[in-house]
Amino acid sequence: MTDARMKIPITKPLFGDEERANIQQPLESGWVVQGPFVKQFEDRFATFVGAPDAVATSSCTTALHVALVALGVKPGDEVIVPAFTWISTANVVEYLGARPVFCDVDLETFNIDVGCIESLVTPQTVGIIPVHLFGLPADMAAIVALADQCGLWVVEDAACAFGARYRDRHVGLLGDVGCFSFHPRKSITTGEGGMITTLRSELAELSRSLRDHGATRSDLVRHENPESFLLAEYPQLGFNYRMTDIQAAVGCAQMDRAPDILACRAQVASRYNEALGELSWLRRPSTPTGYVHGNQAYVCLFAPDEPTPSNVEILSRARSDLMRSLEQAGIATRQGTHAPVLADYYAQKYSIRPEKYPKETASIHRRPLRKIQFQSRPESCLCRRSKLHRPMGLIRPNFGSV
C-alpha cells in the first residue's frame, strides 16, 4: 500500500512478529482455508464490538452483498444510500437487481443528510444503508426512528468505522446488520476481508450459510464432529465469500493491537486538529457530542470560498495544486472518496442530473477534499508531531493566503 516516492504514505499497516508467528500456524497445519483462526477472529471481533456473533467474509463488499441477500432484497426494490461514499455501497444494491436511491450528504459530517431521507421513501423502498464515512458514525437514532416508522431495514456500512461509537455503543449494532472492512487502509487489516455483525441470530445464521455456498454447516464444524465424511447440504443459493485462515491469523494478531492503534489514531487526529486550526480555508473534521470517531481517515474540506457549482472548477484546481505540492515533497494525500451519482455507470443508467445533488456538485464533483489517512503504527505517535511540521511548512507559505 506504500508508494516508494512517498516519505509519508497514506497508510502503512503495522505487522510484526505476532502476525508472522500466527501466519506460520496455518501454513504448518495445512488448514489454510476458513477454519479455526476464522472462528477465533470472529469471536474476538464480536467481543470487541459487543456483538453476540460476527461472521467473517472476504471483503466488506461481500459482507454487504450477503446482508442484503439475507434481508431478501429483490429486483424492483429501492434502497436509499448516500450520494457520497465508496461505490460498492451502491453496487451491492445493483447486484440484486434493485435500485440505489441516492441521498445528499451533510458537509459538516460527510454522512447521509437525515433530513433528506424521508422524501426519498416510496412504496418500493425496503431499506437504508447509512455509511459511517471516514470513521464518523451517522446519526443512527434519527435513521433508525425513520426506518421503524416506514417499515424499513437498516444496514450500516461500517467499512471505515472500526472503533467508532455512537451514544456509547459500537457502530454495526445500531441497525439490523453492520458490515466492516479489513482493507489495508483500515485501522486493522487482514489484507482483504470483511465482517458482519448483527443482534438478530437468524440473520447471523443465514449470513454464515450464504458466505459458504449456502451450506448447512462449515468445513470446520463438519471436521470437528462425528461422520465428518458426510458432506454438507445446500438448501439455498450461496456464494464463496469465505475468509481464509491465513487472513484470519493476521486478524487475530491485529486485534491484539487494536486498542493501541485506535488510541494512536485519535492522538494523531488531535495533533492535526491543532496544527491545521489556524487555516480557515481548510475545514477540519468535526465530531459531535456523543460520538466517538474511528479516525480511519482525516478528511478536510478545501474551501477558501464556499463551494458552489459556479466556482467548483477553480477550487478543484487550487486543491490539486496543494496536493501536488505535497506529493512533490513526498507527502501522500488523496481525494476524500467517490460520489457514485457522478460515476458514468450510475449517471448514465439513471439519467442523474448533477444539480439534483447540490452538495456533491458544489464540493464533490471535482472533490475539493483533502484526505490524510494515518499510518497504523502506534510508534508513529512518537514522531508524528515532527512529521506534521513538513506538510504545514508547505501549506502555509503556498496556500495560507488563498
Side-chain angles (χ1 to χ4, degrees), residues 217-263:
R217 57 178 180 165
S218 69
D219 288 344
L220 178 62
V221 171
R222 182 162 61 88
H223 283 276
E224 287 182 336
N225 287 279
E227 299 186 339
S228 62
F229 53 84
L230 293 176
L231 297 177
E233 298 294 331
Y234 296 87
Q236 58 207 352
L237 181 66
F239 314 94
N240 184 1
Y241 286 168
R242 296 170 295 186
M243 178 181 284
T244 70
D245 251 32
I246 297 174
Q247 293 170 292
V250 175
C252 288
Q254 291 277 286
M255 288 303 300
D256 289 333
R257 305 182 189 280
D260 288 339
I261 290 173
L262 292 171

Side-chain angles (χ1 to χ4, degrees), residues 51-71:
D53 203 357
V55 181
T57 62
S58 55
S59 70
C60 186
T61 302
T62 58
L64 287 165
H65 190 193
V66 165
L68 266 58
V69 173
L71 287 163

Side-chain angles (χ1 to χ4, degrees), residues 342-398:
L342 302 172
D344 289 344
Y345 174 84
Y346 289 105
Q348 293 172 13
K349 179 173 181 178
Y350 296 113
S351 301
I352 294 174
R353 299 174 62 84
E355 56 266 28
K356 185 177 179 181
Y357 303 94
K359 293 167 188 173
E360 278 70 19
T361 302
S363 62
I364 301 169
H365 180 39
R366 294 295 180 181
R367 294 192 263 291
L369 296 168
R370 176 171 177 269
K371 175 180 179 181
I372 301 174
Q373 186 154 357
F374 315 135
Q375 292 187 9
S376 299
R377 293 179 175 270
E379 61 265 31
S380 71
C381 290
L382 303 177
C383 61
R384 179 59 64 176
R385 188 175 296 278
S386 62
K387 285 188 176 183
L388 278 173
H389 294 321
R390 201 176 308 161
M392 292 307 102
L394 281 164
I395 290 173
R396 289 192 181 102
N398 291 331

Side-chain angles (χ1 to χ4, degrees), residues 36-58:
F37 264 113
V38 168
K39 180 63 168 64
Q40 181 183 341
F41 185 38
E42 290 173 335
D43 290 346
R44 296 189 63 181
F45 190 90
T47 298
F48 187 92
V49 302
D53 203 357
V55 181
T57 62
S58 55

Side-chain angles (χ1 to χ4, degrees), residues 315-330:
L315 291 177
S316 176
R317 288 194 294 271
R319 178 223 59 196
S320 294
D321 286 343
L322 168 61
M323 297 175 75
R324 190 174 297 110
S325 294
L326 292 169
E327 181 180 63
Q328 290 169 354

Side-chain angles (χ1 to χ4, degrees), residues 117-260:
I117 297 176
E118 188 170 7
S119 65
L120 301 175
V121 176
T122 72
Q124 287 72 47
T125 306
V126 295
I128 308 169
I129 307 180
V131 180
H132 307 305
L133 202 57
F134 310 129
L136 179 66
D139 185 356
M140 290 303 297
I143 292 169
V144 171
L146 177 60
D148 289 345
Q149 173 187 324
C150 298
L152 310 177
W153 49 253
V154 175
V155 171
E156 299 171 67
D157 184 337
C160 304
F162 179 69
R165 304 184 73 86
Y166 177 85
R167 299 183 180 179
D168 296 325
R169 295 177 63 191
H170 199 289
V171 299
L173 299 172
L174 304 167
D176 294 277
V177 182
C179 299
F180 295 82
S181 172
F182 305 120
H183 181 276
R185 289 188 181 181
K186 309 309 178 186
S187 295
I188 63 170
T189 182
T190 58
E192 285 282 6
M195 192 73 77
I196 296 170
T197 54
T198 180
L199 298 176
R200 295 173 56 180
S201 59
E202 79 280 7
L203 288 179
E205 182 179 358
L206 180 54
S207 296
R208 200 175 299 283
S209 172
L210 289 170
R211 62 98 187 259
D212 193 5
H213 299 283
T216 53
R217 57 178 180 165
S218 69
D219 288 344
L220 178 62
V221 171
R222 182 162 61 88
H223 283 276
E224 287 182 336
N225 287 279
E227 299 186 339
S228 62
F229 53 84
L230 293 176
L231 297 177
E233 298 294 331
Y234 296 87
Q236 58 207 352
L237 181 66
F239 314 94
N240 184 1
Y241 286 168
R242 296 170 295 186
M243 178 181 284
T244 70
D245 251 32
I246 297 174
Q247 293 170 292
V250 175
C252 288
Q254 291 277 286
M255 288 303 300
D256 289 333
R257 305 182 189 280
D260 288 339

